[in-house]
């Protein structure tokens, strides 16, 4: 019998992670993650973010795709690789000289929660029909992902109420410091070949602005840049989601590394992800 992986086609995660609005959600997560000074400092000091942000996004997408749709062995191997890399990286606080590891549970938990909140928020707000009970199931399922990056699953929110309480507790520690400003500036104007600048302004900037607009109000306050009215943001998210979902799924899934198509080949056509397949 073929291995369905860590989540399986019966999970909410399996049905949601194939949605094209995950890309907008991923950029929102970057904006949100950058507001934790200790966490974003780890990114800026240990990666070539400014010159390889697209590569970072693709590596994150590959990790999410592997852990969602890959075999159990592939998912566990991906998690082990991430944990090994994190265990070797340290960060220096420029103000105090303190050195700390990027694998501190507090930092890993923030990155995890910012991602899960962004995926869930953008997909639901853009039109994916998800009940509150299904949203709670999704957050609980993501404790598996938390374990893979080195967190104790019991220390990670398991539902909407716990996730909201977590963000309320962590808010006093958030700030838009120099590193967050650098992330904001990069996401709005990523370096590109001069001939591609028009495309950047036409396509990428719209994605970045939409992702920023979808942040919670306190994030807009910290960044100091206003966002459109919530009703306007919701309308734009729904319009963008409707347009992207009109692209045939099999065409979208042809893009490398084809996690979903490989999962369907392994398990059969019934494994095709679709939010409407979710049970109550």
């Amino acid at each position: 019998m073929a291995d369905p992986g860590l989540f399986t086609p019966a999970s909410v995660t399996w049905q949601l992670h194939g949605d094209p609005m995950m890309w907008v959600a991923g950029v929102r997560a970057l904006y949100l993650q950058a507001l934790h000074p200790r966490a974003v400092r780890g990114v800026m000091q240990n990666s070539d973010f400014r010159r390889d942000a697209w590569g970072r996004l693709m590596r994150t997408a590959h990790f999410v795709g592997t852990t969602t749709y890959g075999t159990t062995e592939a998912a566990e191997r991906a998690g082990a690789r991430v944990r090994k890399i994190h265990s070797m990286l340290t960060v220096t606080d420029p103000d105090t000289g303190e050195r700390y590891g990027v694998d501190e549970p507090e930092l890993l938990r923030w990155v995890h929660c910012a991602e899960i909140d962004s995926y869930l928020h953008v997909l639901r707000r853009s039109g994916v029909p998800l009940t509150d009970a299904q949203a709670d199931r999704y957050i609980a399922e993501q404790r598996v992902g938390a374990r893979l990056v080195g967190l104790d699953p019991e220390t990670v929110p398991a539902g909407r109420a716990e996730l909201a309480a977590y963000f309320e507790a962590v808010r006093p520690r958030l700030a838009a410091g120099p590193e967050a400003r650098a992330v904001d500036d990069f996401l709005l104007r990523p370096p590109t070949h001069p001939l591609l600048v028009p495309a950047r302004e036409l396509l990428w900037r719209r994605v970045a602005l939409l992702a920023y607009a979808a942040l919670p109000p306190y994030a807009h306050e910290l960044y100091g840049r206003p966002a459109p009215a919530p009703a306007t943001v919701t309308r734009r998210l729904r319009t963008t989601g409707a347009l992207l979902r009109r692209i045939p799924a099999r065409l979208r899934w042809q893009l490398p590394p084809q996690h979903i198509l490989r999962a369907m080949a392994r398990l059969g056509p019934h494994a095709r992800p679709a939010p409407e397949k979710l049970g109550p």
Side-chain angles (χ1 to χ4, degrees):
M1 187 176 185
D3 174 18
L6 293 178
F7 288 101
T8 83
S11 67
V12 180
T13 297
W14 189 282
Q15 310 307 334
L16 292 191
H17 283 184
D19 192 273
M21 287 297 284
M22 284 285 287
W23 289 101
V24 176
V27 178
R28 181 192 188 267
L30 291 177
Y31 270 118
L32 194 54
Q33 289 165 350
L35 291 175
H36 194 302
R38 289 173 66 86
V40 71
R41 197 172 291 135
V43 174
M44 302 302 280
Q45 292 185 18
N46 287 286
S47 71
D48 199 8
F49 180 82
R50 291 181 179 86
R51 288 196 293 269
D52 190 33
W54 180 249
R56 178 178 173 80
L57 277 172
M58 290 301 294
R59 286 190 293 274
T60 299
H62 180 63
F63 179 79
V64 172
T66 299
T67 55
T68 303
Y69 301 110
T71 63
T72 300
E73 179 185 1
E76 295 289 357
R77 190 166 57 243
R81 185 162 54 248
V82 167
R83 294 193 302 273
K84 181 178 180 180
I85 292 172
H86 285 173
S87 71
M88 298 185 293
L89 302 179
T90 59
V91 190
T92 301
D93 187 317
D95 298 321
T96 66
E98 175 197 4
R99 290 186 67 83
Y100 56 91
V102 302
D103 58 355
E104 281 191 355
E106 176 192 354
L107 308 186
L108 294 177
R109 191 175 302 112
W110 168 252
V111 170
H112 170 83
C113 289
E115 285 182 358
I116 300 316
D117 179 74
S118 293
Y119 297 160
L120 193 57
H121 181 88
V122 168
L123 266 59
R124 294 188 83 183
R125 200 172 173 188
S126 66
V128 173
L130 206 65
T131 67
D132 288 345
Q134 290 165 346
D136 282 336
R137 278 174 53 200
Y138 174 73
I139 295 169
E141 289 170 5
Q142 288 308 304
R143 283 182 153 189
V144 172
R147 175 184 64 77
L148 287 174
V149 298
L151 282 164
D152 176 355
E154 295 300 316
T155 68
V156 174
R160 289 171 301 117
E162 290 183 19
L163 188 61
Y166 167 79
F167 280 111
E168 189 66 28
V170 80
R171 274 179 62 178
R173 300 197 290 277
L174 304 182
E179 293 91 351
R181 302 288 179 186
V183 170
D184 182 26
D185 183 65
F186 176 86
L187 289 175
L188 286 174
R189 289 171 290 272
T192 189
H193 189 282
L195 293 178
L196 296 178
V197 168
R200 181 188 69 184
E201 295 302 307
L202 178 65
L203 299 175
W204 175 258
R205 189 175 176 83
R206 292 187 179 186
V207 170
L209 289 173
L210 183 58
Y212 178 86
L215 287 167
Y218 69 79
H220 299 144
E221 293 175 10
L222 290 173
Y223 275 113
R225 282 200 293 118
T232 300
V233 177
T234 299
R235 185 170 63 250
R236 291 177 182 173
L237 285 167
R238 292 184 72 90
T239 299
T240 303
L243 288 173
L244 292 178
R245 291 170 192 133
R246 286 178 185 167
I247 301 172
R250 278 194 168 271
L251 180 60
R252 289 189 275 109
W253 296 339
Q254 289 290 343
L255 295 173
Q258 301 183 344
H259 293 293
I260 295 175
L261 292 180
R262 286 189 290 175
M264 291 169 61
R266 184 174 81 249
L267 301 172
H270 72 279
R272 182 184 190 278
E276 58 268 20
K277 294 167 66 174
L278 289 169

